[in-house]
Amino acid sequence: MGLVQYVLVTEQPGEGARGVPLSGHVGFDSMPDQLVNKSVNHGFCFNILCVGETGLGKSTLMDTLFNTKFEGEPTQHNQPGVQLKSNTYELQESNVRLKLTVVNTVGFGDQINKEDSYKSIVEFIDTQFEAYLQEELKIKRTLHSYHDTRIHACLYFIAPTGHSLKSLDLVTMKKLDSKVNIIPIIAKSDAISKSELTKFKIKITSELVSNGVQIYQFPTDDETVAEINSTMNGHLPFAVVGSTEEVKIGNKMVRARQYPWGTVQVENENHCDFVKLREMLIRVNMEDLREQTHTRHYELYRRCKLEEMGFKDTDPDSKPFSLQETYEAKRNEFMGELQKKEEEMRQMFVQRVKEKEAELKEAEKELHEKFDRLKKLHQDEKKKLEDKKKSLDDELNGFKQKKTAAELLQAQTQQAGSSATLKKDKERKK
Amino acid sequence: MKRGSHTVSLQKEKHTSFYGNMADVGKTPVARNEKTNSEFGYVGIDAILEQMRRKAMKQGFEFNIMVVGQSGLGKSTLMNTLFKSKVSRRSLMTSEEERIPKTIEIKSISHDIEEKGVRMKLTVIDTPGFGDQINNENCWQPIMKFINVQYEQYLQEEINIERKKRIPDSRVHCCIYFIPPTGHCLRPIDIEFMRHLSKVVNIVPVIAKADTLTLEERDFFKQKIREDLRANEIDIYPQKEFDEDAEDRIINEKIREMIPFAVVGSDQEYQVNGKRLLGRKTRWGTVEVENTAHCEFAYLRDLLIRTHMQNIKDITSSIHYEMYRVRRLNENNTQPNGQQAIHANGVPEHEVLSHEM
């Protein structure tokens, strides 16, 4: 049989017959459950960026929102530039595990010259996009287990001046609105009275509109939540108060800020919009925030980046090849670097070996010298002792000789004496 | 201006649980509807499950299932029985088309079905002509090519610069292979096909027209088939190596012990014991399709639709598709050199640093 031909026939049902009726229960209505179960097993992640001047209560608000004490002490006001500090926490509620990352801008608004303040924030956001893009472009990739660090929501803290937005705020928000979902909030809003607040909100909204700043709109396309979302859209920016301290009101313990003239209750909707913020950010739109980040902001970043790298969609056949060229180039670069590193390490190794060898040789030489010295010392000692021994022996011999000579003399004199007395006796007797 | 340093500190698995703050440690979690003294113990993170469900309902699902087997094994009927509606190509065919084609054809038909608010775009891919020729050498090739073409389409869309919000998924999620009820063992064509295709797609083998086998014959046949599969190192769905955890393994082991499912299909209803049931009426009795004492159709349906559909799709996208992608992106690498040994399963010979970029 020659080459097998295959005929591809794709038939779609006709215009009118879009759907077919089912004559019984099939069971695919369990699909949303299957999907949700899979996600529960996998866990979720959510990343919030808090941008605002030092001292506006960013950390306190995060603590209040998530009902827990995150680490960290209040930052000083003398930072030379804007830094971003990010911390990741694992939270759990019933069977849902959330990997929450809270990124704080440290030192925002503290500098004298704030022209470049927004830059490190933009850079940070871009870095997270880049990391995801790199992972997506990898040949062997593990997207499903990748820890997504892209920022899903940016809470922009506006200082409660009561007048209007600062130019720093406008500039920063304008730079961020195409990169992240911005939710503006009025911080420490217990400093503003109700009437001032309404005016403040109107002013802020009109300034944002006139400057073309696109803030995040809660989605109104799903009927289940369209109503609540559109109402909330009208309450932006939310005027919030954060507090982790509890005060007894009536017979309940509530989170509040206590002043001599009254107590501001965090969860009282008449006092502030905290409950609205929590409702929108977490309970209603968390998933939408994640989706918008992925399908809008990330896609925009990706498109710009790829176009920058010189790719075009016009030539469909060459796409895998041109991307392949990048892989090639990157791989060669990597191999080159690897080789360089290897060389370096080898050199370093050889160097170290040489040094060690020299050290050891030195030590060896020293030991030899020491040995020689000791040996010589030993010999000298030995000689000295022998000499001494010899002289002592001589002395001893001399002494012995003297002794025998003396004894002999004594014996002789005694004998002579006794013979002399004998002779004398003999003479007398005669 | 000094550039920020991000200290990403993964707080040593800091399981800060929400069941209350410092003062409330030890209290039970507060459900949304209950109001107790410390209502603020509840943050609302688990509301994300509801949000996900809403999104899924709005978007709908896609499922692409392929049926492979010789003519006359009841493939179309089984599809209709599985999805309780006329989804197979036979329902759309005209009488002129009711002949066995001279070559293998691949026909793909899509339907939008809906159940309890959940919408699904179901695509049934039929392969008339498979195994029907006198010389069936390389009959698996056109099917393999079709599957790879779907992967290629997805890949092309994925690497587009301007890409769609949701890439239309035409990848074959599951391939049901129909084994004729000979009662002996697998035939060479079965082994050949499954050996090649199990490397690129999830294969679920079924014993077709199982009402011609007695229970003993059926068990014996299944055992022989399983032996043959093992001997030829054919990995069918659910694959052992993709079991995620112990729980999964237990569930999947039970399934693996039953595979291949012995099925009977029917779209005719009969009255049995006062109930209207799907079945095949014969002179000696009525085979009830959904009765697990009669045949294993219900198990197949539960596996494919009610419990493992998402898992089947996940394995297709995160394993089979990724393997195809790796192979595709690596093979361009060697074009200037000419040959490069690429195994039949698509994994290139060298994977040096291909995971590094």
Side-chain angles (χ1 to χ4, degrees):
Chain A
M1 191 164 80
L3 203 57
V4 172
Q5 294 278 56
Y6 85 95
V7 175
L8 173 59
V9 178
T10 308
E11 294 175 33
Q12 297 280 20
E15 275 295 281
R18 252 205 66 209
V20 278
L22 302 177
S23 62
H25 181 234
V26 178
F28 62 86
D29 55 341
S30 66
M31 271 304 269
D33 289 325
Q34 292 183 38
L35 187 63
V36 164
N37 281 341
K38 171 184 107 164
S39 302
V40 164
N41 284 337
H42 207 239
F44 298 89
C45 69
F46 194 58
N47 308 318
I48 304 183
L49 169 67
C50 294
V51 180
E53 291 171 21
T54 322
L56 279 183
K58 304 191 285 289
S59 315
T60 314
L61 187 68
M62 286 296 108
D63 287 351
T64 324
L65 260 178
F66 290 99
N67 209 19
T68 180
K69 190 99 182 69
F70 292 126
E71 272 182 22
E73 334 87 29
T75 32
Q76 307 299 318
H77 283 255
N78 53 4
Q79 307 286 331
V82 180
Q83 289 189 342
L84 284 99
K85 272 227 183 84
S86 98
N87 288 311
T88 308
Y89 308 92
E90 299 233 357
L91 307 173
Q92 181 159 356
E93 193 163 66
S94 56
N95 60 342
V96 177
R97 287 174 297 120
L98 179 74
K99 242 197 184 110
L100 175 74
T101 303
V102 177
V103 186
N104 246 315
T105 49
V106 174
F108 188 76
D110 279 338
Q111 296 77 36
I112 293 178
N113 182 357
K114 298 181 260 221
E115 271 177 355
D116 295 335
S117 298
Y118 72 87
K119 283 196 187 146
S120 47
I121 305 177
V122 169
E123 230 178 287
F124 180 82
I125 296 176
D126 279 347
T127 310
Q128 311 318 309
F129 282 149
E130 184 64 32
Y132 190 88
L133 181 65
Q134 286 305 322
E135 182 63 34
E136 205 187 23
L137 286 180
K138 269 196 195 162
I139 296 191
K140 251 193 176 175
R141 56 190 193 179
T142 47
L143 273 179
H144 53 277
S145 55
Y146 176 75
H147 174 49
D148 189 3
T149 54
R150 299 174 293 181
I151 302 292
H152 301 124
C154 170
L155 293 180
Y156 196 93
F157 287 68
I158 300 170
T161 58
H163 303 312
S164 61
L165 283 175
K166 299 189 185 166
S167 43
L168 174 65
D169 295 335
L170 276 171
V171 164
T172 313
M173 280 203 266
K174 193 84 178 79
K175 291 282 177 190
L176 293 179
D177 70 354
S178 59
K179 297 204 167 277
V180 73
N181 301 316
I182 301 186
I183 301 177
I185 58 182
I186 301 172
K188 296 198 166 174
S189 63
D190 50 348
I192 316 182
S193 75
K194 201 157 182 154
S195 52
E196 285 172 348
L197 193 60
T198 330
K199 273 193 255 162
F200 192 28
K201 279 195 186 184
I202 295 176
K203 191 79 179 34
I204 293 177
T205 326
S206 70
E207 279 193 325
L208 289 175
V209 165
S210 59
N211 281 281
V213 174
Q214 304 262 12
I215 55 172
Y216 175 73
Q217 294 295 315
F218 304 118
T220 49
D221 46 0
D222 185 346
E223 325 91 41
T224 355
V225 292
E227 208 185 304
I228 186 173
N229 275 346
S230 62
T231 323
M232 292 298 180
N233 275 329
H235 280 112
L236 282 171
F238 292 132
V240 295
V241 172
S243 170
T244 45
E245 283 166 14
E246 293 172 40
V247 170
K248 195 163 183 138
I249 303 270
N251 59 346
K252 289 204 299 176
M253 291 298 279
V254 295
R255 285 181 294 184
R257 285 178 63 77
Q258 209 161 35
Y259 293 105
W261 49 89
T263 309
V264 181
Q265 292 161 44
V266 165
E267 271 162 305
N268 185 333
E269 293 205 54
N270 286 328
H271 291 195
C272 74
D273 294 334
F274 173 80
V275 171
K276 297 193 175 73
L277 174 67
R278 182 181 58 196
E279 195 72 20
M280 288 291 101
L281 182 66
I282 304 176
R283 297 185 188 176
V284 178
N285 297 308
M286 199 194 276
E287 183 58 30
D288 185 70
L289 283 162
R290 279 155 34 111
E291 193 176 337
Q292 292 292 330
T293 305
H294 180 64
T295 56
R296 192 143 53 96
H297 301 296
Y298 169 71
E299 283 298 310
L300 181 64
Y301 174 83
R302 178 179 175 277
R303 204 181 320 147
C304 295
K305 196 73 202 300
L306 291 181
E307 276 171 2
E308 206 179 278
M309 299 207 310
F311 296 117
K312 284 192 269 284
D313 270 346
T314 50
D315 193 354
D317 290 316
S318 73
K319 255 185 287 143
F321 300 98
S322 40
L323 264 178
Q324 191 48 41
E325 272 164 23
T326 330
Y327 295 148
E328 239 342 275
K330 283 218 170 148
R331 186 185 287 135
N332 288 338
E333 197 185 303
F334 179 76
M335 289 299 279
E337 262 182 52
L338 198 69
Q339 270 183 342
K340 206 165 54 150
K341 273 216 175 99
E342 222 181 294
E343 240 344 276
E344 260 178 51
M345 279 179 70
R346 191 174 298 135
Q347 294 286 21
M348 215 164 55
F349 179 72
V350 169
Q351 180 77 359
R352 281 236 182 99
V353 166
K354 275 205 187 124
E355 280 174 22
K356 200 68 185 201
E357 235 179 2
E359 250 175 72
L360 285 172
K361 274 220 172 87
E362 262 306 313
E364 198 182 18
K365 194 160 135 207
E366 253 177 70
L367 274 173
H368 275 294
E369 279 178 17
K370 198 163 178 185
F371 179 69
D372 286 337
R373 255 185 297 130
L374 279 173
K375 192 164 171 192
K376 184 154 186 288
L377 215 71
H378 178 253
Q379 279 180 339
D380 286 342
E381 277 288 322
K382 193 167 174 192
K383 185 145 187 295
K384 247 197 252 176
L385 281 170
E386 278 183 2
D387 285 342
K388 216 166 180 182
K389 185 175 179 201
K390 188 155 181 273
S391 66
L392 272 171
D393 278 341
D394 287 341
E395 239 183 88
L396 196 66
N397 284 342
F399 179 71
K400 273 200 185 139
Q401 276 179 358
K402 271 198 187 155
K403 186 173 174 193
T404 38
E407 276 179 356
L408 202 62
L409 200 60
Q410 200 177 44
Q412 272 182 349
T413 32
Q414 236 178 10
Q415 214 174 45
S418 64
S419 71
T421 25
L422 217 65
K423 239 181 187 172
K424 250 184 187 170
D425 276 341
K426 250 183 187 173
E427 290 214 327
R428 256 189 324 153
K429 268 174 191 171
K430 275 184 192 171
Chain B
M1 185 199 69
K2 193 155 81 149
R3 194 208 177 279
S5 61
H6 347 294
T7 50
V8 180
S9 54
L10 196 58
Q11 303 293 96
K12 325 144 218 163
E13 300 300 292
K14 182 172 177 154
H15 279 277
T16 318
S17 105
F18 290 99
Y19 296 165
N21 50 23
M22 289 91 60
D24 289 332
V25 169
K27 275 214 176 129
T28 46
V30 179
R32 244 174 134 169
N33 330 332
E34 290 174 47
K35 282 209 183 280
T36 64
N37 267 352
S38 54
E39 222 243 328
F40 57 78
Y42 176 70
V43 174
I45 294 183
D46 55 0
I48 195 171
L49 298 182
E50 191 50 44
Q51 297 171 30
M52 282 200 86
R53 193 169 280 132
R54 247 191 304 124
K55 182 173 99 168
M57 300 278 283
K58 200 170 80 154
Q59 279 180 349
F61 297 90
E62 288 168 302
F63 194 60
N64 309 319
I65 186 168
M66 179 187 260
V67 285
V68 181
Q70 278 170 273
S71 213
L73 283 180
K75 305 190 291 290
S76 306
T77 314
L78 187 70
M79 283 299 109
N80 289 346
T81 321
L82 261 178
F83 292 100
K84 294 249 168 41
S85 71
K86 306 233 180 285
V87 290
S88 67
R89 77 186 153 91
R90 285 208 181 263
S91 332
L92 296 177
M93 254 170 22
T94 59
S95 50
E96 298 103 57
E97 295 174 337
E98 289 215 33
R99 77 255 173 303
I100 295 179
K102 295 236 170 57
T103 56
I104 301 177
E105 292 180 349
I106 306 207
K107 288 191 171 174
S108 143
I109 307 201
S110 298
H111 291 275
D112 284 323
I113 48 182
E114 191 235 305
E115 191 170 59
K116 297 214 180 110
V118 179
R119 288 174 300 114
M120 162 135 33
K121 179 166 182 240
L122 174 72
T123 305
V124 177
I125 302 149
D126 207 338
T127 53
F130 175 83
D132 290 332
Q133 276 71 44
I134 294 177
N135 184 353
N136 287 307
E137 231 162 66
N138 296 331
C139 57
W140 51 269
Q141 266 176 2
I143 297 174
M144 175 92 129
K145 183 165 174 179
F146 176 82
I147 292 177
N148 284 335
V149 162
Q150 308 316 305
Y151 287 149
E152 182 65 28
Q153 272 182 9
Y154 194 89
L155 179 65
Q156 287 296 331
E157 186 57 43
E158 199 187 34
I159 60 182
N160 254 342
I161 304 224
E162 285 245 16
R163 42 188 201 185
K164 305 199 177 96
K165 232 181 192 183
R166 274 191 79 203
I167 303 178
D169 191 358
S170 62
R171 302 173 291 190
V172 177
H173 297 128
C174 177
C175 172
I176 308 201
Y177 186 75
F178 286 70
I179 300 171
T182 61
H184 303 150
C185 60
L186 287 179
R187 306 163 300 160
I189 188 179
D190 302 329
I191 296 178
E192 264 299 284
F193 180 84
M194 286 200 273
R195 199 161 55 85
H196 282 106
L197 274 276
S198 60
K199 297 184 173 118
V200 296
V201 73
N202 295 320
I203 293 208
V204 177
V206 296
I207 299 175
K209 299 203 162 170
D211 51 343
T212 58
L213 295 170
T214 64
L215 289 181
E216 294 82 20
E217 289 168 347
R218 186 201 292 180
D219 285 335
F220 174 77
F221 191 25
K222 280 200 197 188
Q223 216 177 320
K224 288 294 298 175
I225 292 177
R226 281 200 288 268
E227 273 170 31
D228 283 340
L229 290 176
R230 257 197 301 271
N232 286 281
E233 290 178 352
I234 297 175
D235 245 338
I236 49 163
Y237 182 82
Q239 298 93 335
K240 264 209 176 107
E241 50 181 324
F242 305 139
D243 285 339
E244 281 180 25
D245 49 36
E247 218 182 285
D248 245 17
R249 203 168 304 130
I250 296 174
I251 299 176
N252 289 345
E253 270 307 314
K254 287 212 186 91
I255 297 171
R256 286 190 276 264
E257 278 161 28
M258 284 204 278
I259 286 195
F261 293 115
V263 295
V264 173
S266 165
D267 41 16
Q268 299 266 18
E269 282 186 348
Y270 294 99
Q271 195 84 357
V272 179
N273 291 339
K275 290 193 280 182
R276 286 198 66 78
L277 295 171
L278 280 176
R280 283 176 62 75
K281 193 164 180 172
T282 66
R283 277 170 282 150
W284 43 91
T286 308
V287 182
E288 294 161 43
V289 164
E290 276 167 321
N291 187 338
T292 49
H294 291 195
C295 77
E296 294 175 332
F297 168 81
Y299 295 130
L300 176 71
R301 178 203 53 208
D302 288 347
L303 177 73
L304 282 186
I305 301 178
R306 296 187 185 176
T307 56
H308 283 66
M309 195 188 259
Q310 185 61 43
N311 182 248
I312 289 174
K313 290 174 64 171
D314 289 339
I315 300 215
T316 306
S317 73
S318 51
I319 298 179
H320 294 299
Y321 168 71
E322 288 296 316
M323 262 178 38
Y324 174 84
R325 183 176 171 276
V326 168
R327 177 168 51 114
R328 185 79 169 83
L329 293 177
N330 269 331
E331 78 187 11
N332 301 326
N333 194 18
T334 60
Q335 276 201 342
N337 303 347
Q339 306 102 325
Q340 184 204 13
I342 297 181
H343 294 157
N345 66 357
V347 179
E349 244 180 352
H350 67 274
E351 287 185 9
V352 182
L353 299 168
S354 58
H355 60 286
E356 295 289 342
M357 275 268 301

